[in-house]
Amino acid sequence: EKAIGSYKVKGIEFLVNKRNNKFSTWLSYTLADNKYTFNDFQEINFPNNIDITHAITFGSSFSTGNFKVAAGFNWYSGKPTTKPVSGEEIIENEINYEAANSSNLDEYLRVDFSATYKFKIYKNIRAHVGASIWNSLNKKNTLSSYYRVENDLPIEIQQTSLGLTPNLTFRVKF
C-alpha cells in the first residue's frame, strides 16, 4: 500500500576512544527509538524497520612498526519484524499478521579479528598484506525475515549473515 508518512528518531550515543602510540581502543553504546507515523494505516504509529533499540560496539588495535592486529565486537538488539498471529496464521488463503513490527528478530552478535603487515618490495614499491576473520564465532545472525504461504501454512524465510568468513588482502603501491 502506498501512503505518505513521517519518521522520527530519538536517541543518544555514547563513545569513548583512547589512543596512544601503539594502542587504540573504543567503545560505543547507542540507545534509539525509531518510529513511523502513517495516518492512513490501521496502525498509525509503529517501529521503523531498522529500529535497533540497543547497540554496542567495541574495538581495539595494536600497532608496532609495520604490523597491526585488531579485534572488534558488534552487538545489537533484534530489529523489528511482523509475525503471523499465532493460532490464526492463515485467513482466506492469506497470512494474518500481528500489528506491524510488533515482534523482534533475535539479537545480532559478531566478533572479528584482523592483522596487517606493510613492507617494501623495491625502491618505490610498497606492499600491504592482511588477513581477517569476520564473524569468528560463526554466529548465524538473522538480518531480516518474511513469510509466504505453502500448503496452507505460513513459511518463514530468513535472510542471514555470512558465517565465519576468512578474508585475505594484498595491495601493491607504486
Side-chain angles (χ1 to χ4, degrees):
E1 186 173 331
K2 290 185 179 184
I4 295 175
S6 64
Y7 173 81
K8 185 182 278 189
V9 180
K10 294 185 280 183
I12 188 167
E13 183 171 12
F14 174 73
L15 172 66
V16 176
N17 186 347
K18 175 67 178 161
R19 291 186 203 191
N20 65 27
N21 290 340
K22 294 186 180 195
F23 286 96
S24 179
T25 301
W26 61 95
L27 172 68
S28 73
Y29 170 73
T30 304
L31 173 65
D33 181 35
N34 301 303
K35 295 284 190 244
Y36 279 137
T37 299
F38 286 92
N39 292 324
D40 295 339
F41 286 1
Q42 182 177 356
E43 296 135 4
I44 295 172
N45 298 301
F46 54 95
N48 180 291
N49 295 342
I50 58 170
D51 180 31
I52 298 172
T53 305
H54 304 279
I56 297 172
T57 302
F58 172 79
S60 188
S61 65
F62 171 78
S63 300
T64 182
N66 293 333
F67 182 67
K68 184 177 186 178
V69 292
F73 168 90
N74 294 286
W75 174 88
Y76 60 75
S77 53
K79 294 191 316 189
T81 191
T82 307
K83 294 182 177 183
V85 174
S86 182
E88 297 178 26
E89 293 87 357
I90 305 293
I91 295 179
E92 296 179 14
N93 249 0
E94 290 192 13
I95 298 173
N96 179 30
Y97 288 104
E98 298 175 335
N101 289 342
S102 61
S103 295
N104 286 79
L105 298 173
D106 291 337
E107 64 184 27
Y108 178 97
L109 174 66
R110 195 181 86 220
V111 178
D112 304 328
F113 297 98
S114 67
T116 60
Y117 183 71
K118 297 178 189 177
F119 58 97
K120 192 175 192 177
I121 294 177
Y122 190 68
K123 293 180 184 177
N124 291 334
I125 302 174
R126 291 172 297 214
H128 174 106
V129 64
S132 60
I133 299 175
W134 300 336
N135 194 7
S136 62
L137 302 177
N138 200 27
K139 179 125 168 46
K140 185 178 179 180
N141 291 302
T142 303
L143 303 175
S144 66
S145 69
Y146 62 93
Y147 294 84
R148 69 174 180 224
V149 178
E150 281 185 20
N151 299 322
D152 296 325
L153 295 172
I155 303 298
E156 182 180 19
I157 310 300
Q158 291 186 343
Q159 296 172 325
T160 59
S161 64
L162 293 173
L164 185 132
T165 305
N167 183 31
L168 298 174
T169 60
F170 182 73
R171 262 184 283 184
V172 177
K173 293 182 181 181
F174 56 94

